[in-house]
Amino acid sequence: MNRIVVTGGKRLVGEVRIGGSKNAALPLLFAGILTGDSCVFENLPRVSDVLQTLEILRFLGARIRFQRSGDVEVDYRDVRPEVPPGTLTSAIRGSVYLLGAMLGRFGIASLPGAGGCDFGSRPIDLHLWGLERLGAVEEQDAEALTLRAESGLSGCALPLPLPSVGATGNLLMAATAARGETVLSGIAIEPHVQALAEFLRAAGADISPFEGGAVRVRGGAPLHGCRVRVIPDMIEAGTYLCAAMATGGRITLREAVPEHLGALLWVLERMGARLQLRRDGISLDAPERYRCMRIETGPYPAFPTDLHPQMAALFCIGGRAVGEGRVRERVWQSRFRYTEELRRMGAVVRIAEDEARFLPSTLHGTEVRSPDLRGGAALLLAALAAEGRTEISNAATVGRGYEHLEAKLRGLGARVRVYG
Ligand code: UD1
């Protein structure tokens, strides 16, 4: 997926099925290493980050079988404690989960580098602090970061100073393999983190329910293979809801969980959207015009940082948006790169420190470059609402997280083509 070409101005109308969550699938696929057995993943999204993860696992010795049903079986029995090539691990952020998973299974984990979207600094100090407390020793050479726990990991108290999704996932995995009890507190409680705990429980781990931002793990018991269904992708769902808003459309999402999207649904309703919520579906009827809002991103259940650019795009659309919209980004230092590209389409944006302000203006199609996954989604939404033709380059960034993008958008009536 190199280029997305959109001719704007069509209302999106119809029904779309939301796929499995990328942010849930990646930690699950890595956590499977801990089972040393065979696991079956249902509803695994076919996005490039997932395919990249399967490549890493294959390099390490896993056998992968795409079943006719669409499920994917990963046999982890022959996984070896090797250093995967940096070219593979640095293509995705999710490769950080190799640390907890490999350390837990083999007492050694090596990571040449992790990639992901560029939002400024993306530290892993909390991951390392926790893994060291569990007994790992860190070593960094020119090739890779290596963690060793030659005599195994031991449970302990791990109070996190901030609710990092990645650190919570890595430490849950390592704690599952550590002897004795670990109490992780201050944890992230995103649905995809809870899904990881659910998977580990299904594989035999003794993990308490999440309560008061804490979880207790009684580790050390051997795990076994299991079958898991990846939860629906809340960010994909949120993006389609925003696409319907951008075009004055009417959309029904199948397999989307309203409970995961409370902050977004609250905002959309206040903007004038008419919503119908079912246990596993959402319908949205967009108003002709909507009021802009102030939003602030934060750890779940606050407004997700991964839906910030899409909401910002809505605030820019002249003829639909009314008033000034503001986005304060509280998770990442630098997540406003997409605004440069929106400006090329005619958007009026002012940025001061961690807040961007948007005024509605007429957007026109032009050539833009996707800076990252969700920034690219924001450009796509703007393009769906803009006058004329927009060409989005560097679209592989968008392919990292949106499954069957062209087919889904065309099914809703969009004039869009994906090339490459
Ligand atoms: C974060 C998002 C996640 C999103 C992903 C990609 C949150 C809480 N997490 O997950 O929803 O899908 O980005 O956009 O919204 N931090 C440290 N030290 C660490 C780890 C993190 O200081 O060791 C800080 C980060 O700089 C950041 C915050 O913690 O400010 C959240 O990071 P974290 O949740 O770990 O990031 P991801 O797991 O990538």
Side-chain angles (χ1 to χ4, degrees), residues 235-257:
I235 307 300
E236 187 194 19
T239 303
Y240 281 100
L241 293 176
C242 290
M245 284 296 271
T247 61
R250 208 175 55 245
I251 197 173
T252 293
L253 310 182
R254 278 187 291 120
E255 294 186 43
V257 185

Side-chain angles (χ1 to χ4, degrees), residues 78-131:
D78 293 335
V79 168
R80 302 168 303 264
E82 287 188 8
V83 187
T87 44
L88 286 182
T89 60
S90 59
I92 56 168
R93 188 73 198 160
S95 49
V96 288
Y97 293 114
L98 276 173
L99 292 178
M102 295 295 275
L103 192 63
R105 170 140 172 222
F106 298 108
I108 182 165
S110 292
L111 183 65
C117 297
D118 177 7
F119 305 141
S121 139
R122 296 189 74 169
I124 57 163
D125 53 334
L126 294 177
H127 307 229
L128 297 178
W129 164 82
L131 295 171

Side-chain angles (χ1 to χ4, degrees), residues 394-415:
N394 200 33
T397 49
V398 182
R400 292 187 36 222
Y402 292 94
E403 189 182 31
H404 308 315
L405 182 68
E406 184 185 66
K408 286 184 178 182
L409 284 172
R410 289 172 74 91
L412 294 167
R415 281 174 294 198

